[in-house]
Amino acid sequence: MMSSLFQFLFGLQNPARRPPLPVPRPSSPEFVTVLADKQVKEGEDVTLQCQTNTGHVTVTWEKKDQKLCCVEGKHRTGKEGSAIFLEIKKAELGDEGKYTVTIQNSSGSASCSAMIIVEINEWRTVQWKQDPMISALKNFRISSGDVRELRFLLHGPVGAGKSSIINTIKTIFEGHQFINCLTASALTGESFTTKFEKFNVGDVPFTFYDVMGLEVNESKGVHPDDIINALKGHVPNNYEFKACTPIDEDNRNYILNPTLNNKIHCLVSVIPADKISMMEEEVIQKMRTIRAAASKLGIPQVVFMTRVDQVCTMTQKDVTKLYQSRKIKEKMTECSNRLGVTMNCIFPVKNYHEETKPNEQLNSLMLEAFTQIVHSADDFLKRNSNQQKTVE
């Protein structure tokens, strides 16, 4: 016992005999500040930076969940004390995406991510002042004296935003939130619209017609023949659609000899930007069939691409950046390819959804598209009126 005590005391006095002390573990790595999303113009430099609680870490970077391959002269990564950074020189479209940094030591690891969004040169301009457009539309006069109102038919898949477009346009012209046009349920995917329903717009001579959404199954949704008959003017207001039995001459409601007042003057295809990639080919084919029939009738056609804020963070934050978004242009191109419609006939729009107060930028975007279909419809009436005069 005394010998052991002696050895212990001797060890304390003699550092050479002292037992080694345990090496303290480093602090578990944490972020004091995280990476922030960056929006940058094409050609500008951009830096992602964050702060950690310790400098004793190894750092790895990923782009779109893949290890970042740094290019000399393009990327520079570094660590200064507890600060970590990634520099990207002369940002290009290919630099857009999610970047993730991971810090690690023997005590653990932590990660954080941020988006880099690269603005491309604006390829289409919008008048972001609503009053001049509202005034011009309110003073608009239909070129054909025999036609009381311009008639627009909206069609597209269930949940595309057809009814929401009507609500938004009525909100703009009637000066208050309009929500009387029921919209498709996002949960059930079922259309509230069952009839060929007419909606007037304030005190201007414009009328929208809403129809059931197109679906894959022949026993569900509106039949393409019903939409084609509506284009021709054979379908009366409030006619209730029957999915498997399109209206024909044997139906007592069928308008046998329609006038220009009964016909549709412009067909508006409605496509959701966030779902265009997932749309069934059968639904796309139905829309192509309807568009082909409209072309034979000489009826102008445009596409309203809705839900743009759901596919682009930059647009979600600031709708005036819409035509500087690579993502929006990609979706427009995809829409053009799938439907077979030219890019200049596609208009990205945003409907009122969560907003409860007027939004001038949202209104202006919709008014730009609306003004286009008004002039297209009136041009259709001019052509048809001239043809009638020539026959007479």
Side-chain angles (χ1 to χ4, degrees):
M1 182 72 177
M2 290 297 293
S3 176
S4 298
L5 179 60
F6 175 77
Q7 289 176 353
F8 174 74
L9 293 173
F10 180 74
L12 292 179
Q13 295 174 355
N14 187 351
R17 301 290 299 273
R18 191 176 299 168
L21 296 174
V23 178
R25 289 173 61 85
S27 301
S28 180
E30 295 178 359
F31 289 102
V32 178
T33 61
V34 296
L35 301 177
D37 292 344
K38 291 295 181 73
Q39 191 169 303
V40 60
K41 292 182 179 180
E42 195 172 7
E44 291 182 347
D45 298 343
V46 59
T47 300
L48 294 177
Q49 186 169 327
C50 58
Q51 198 87 18
T52 66
N53 65 333
T54 174
H56 301 291
V57 291
T58 58
V59 181
T60 56
W61 286 90
E62 291 183 342
K63 176 187 175 186
K64 298 180 180 178
D65 300 322
Q66 300 290 327
K67 184 178 179 181
L68 177 66
C69 295
C70 291
V71 177
E72 187 176 355
K74 176 70 175 178
H75 305 99
R76 187 169 80 92
T77 61
K79 186 173 62 168
E80 296 176 354
S82 60
I84 296 168
F85 64 87
L86 164 66
E87 292 180 355
I88 301 176
K89 296 290 186 181
K90 296 181 179 179
E92 303 169 293
L93 296 183
D95 295 319
E96 187 169 287
K98 183 181 78 169
Y99 288 79
T100 302
V101 61
T102 300
I103 53 177
Q104 186 174 14
N105 62 21
S106 59
S107 297
S109 64
S111 299
C112 67
S113 301
M115 285 290 299
I116 289 180
I117 298 173
V118 180
E119 297 179 16
I120 61 177
N121 292 329
E122 191 173 36
W123 77 90
R124 189 186 289 182
T125 58
V126 174
Q127 180 179 343
W128 296 109
K129 296 292 183 182
Q130 65 180 24
D131 289 346
M133 288 186 282
I134 291 175
S135 178
L137 289 166
K138 284 186 173 181
N139 293 322
F140 186 85
R141 295 292 178 266
I142 298 174
S143 59
S144 174
D146 297 330
V147 176
R148 299 183 298 272
E149 58 196 13
L150 296 181
R151 292 160 57 100
F152 308 99
L153 174 61
L154 303 176
H155 81 118
V158 173
K162 301 181 296 298
S163 299
S164 294
I165 287 171
I166 296 172
N167 286 338
T168 298
I169 292 174
K170 287 179 71 66
T171 293
I172 294 170
F173 282 92
E174 297 181 13
H176 63 87
Q177 285 286 330
F178 186 87
I179 54 174
N180 291 344
C181 184
L182 295 177
T183 58
S185 168
L187 296 177
T188 64
E190 295 178 358
S191 176
F192 279 118
T193 307
T194 59
K195 297 180 179 180
F196 186 55
E197 198 165 1
K198 176 180 179 179
F199 292 91
N200 294 320
V201 179
D203 57 357
V204 291
F206 311 127
T207 298
F208 282 92
Y209 283 86
D210 197 9
V211 298
M212 293 175 69
L214 293 162
E215 298 189 47
V216 173
N217 196 318
E218 288 292 338
S219 63
K220 292 183 178 181
V222 66
H223 196 288
D225 287 349
D226 272 331
I227 295 181
I228 294 170
N229 279 318
L231 293 175
K232 295 176 179 178
H234 296 308
V235 181
N237 186 33
N238 287 324
Y239 173 76
E240 188 151 1
F241 297 108
K242 299 173 181 60
C244 298
T245 313
I247 193 171
D248 58 22
E249 293 183 17
D250 296 329
N251 190 302
R252 60 186 180 85
N253 296 304
Y254 188 86
I255 299 174
L256 190 60
N257 297 305
T259 66
L260 266 179
N261 275 305
N262 301 121
K263 297 177 181 180
I264 295 299
H265 308 135
C266 183
L267 174 67
V268 181
S269 303
V270 183
I271 295 288
D274 60 331
K275 297 178 182 177
I276 178 68
S277 301
M278 300 176 287
M279 283 179 60
E280 298 282 353
E281 186 59 32
E282 186 176 337
V283 173
I284 293 291
Q285 188 55 52
K286 287 181 179 181
M287 297 185 74
R288 286 176 179 161
T289 299
I290 293 164
R291 290 190 63 253
S295 295
K296 287 183 180 179
L297 296 168
I299 297 173
Q301 306 145 53
V302 298
V303 176
F304 280 12
M305 193 174 77
T306 58
R307 298 173 60 85
V308 292
D309 54 317
Q310 299 301 307
V311 297
C312 175
T313 304
M314 180 168 68
T315 301
Q316 190 177 56
K317 293 178 179 178
D318 184 359
V319 75
T320 65
K321 299 287 188 181
L322 184 138
Y323 289 118
Q324 292 172 267
S325 166
R326 177 180 61 85
K327 192 69 175 178
I328 296 299
K329 194 166 189 179
E330 286 177 354
K331 288 297 179 181
M332 289 175 66
T333 301
E334 184 177 7
C335 184
S336 172
N337 293 337
R338 295 203 71 185
L339 277 184
V341 59
T342 58
M343 289 280 280
N344 61 0
C345 290
I346 300 174
F347 294 89
V349 296
K350 183 180 184 302
N351 290 317
Y352 279 104
H353 175 57
E354 297 176 342
E355 300 84 355
T356 58
K357 294 182 179 180
N359 182 305
E360 183 167 22
Q361 285 73 38
L362 186 156
N363 291 351
S364 297
L365 191 63
M366 181 62 76
L367 286 166
E368 283 274 348
F370 186 43
T371 299
Q372 180 62 46
I373 66 172
V374 165
H375 288 292
S376 296
D378 196 57
D379 288 342
F380 170 75
L381 291 181
K382 288 178 185 176
R383 291 194 302 272
N384 279 268
S385 296
N386 291 336
Q387 288 174 2
Q388 286 184 356
K389 290 176 182 177
T390 301
V391 172
E392 292 172 359

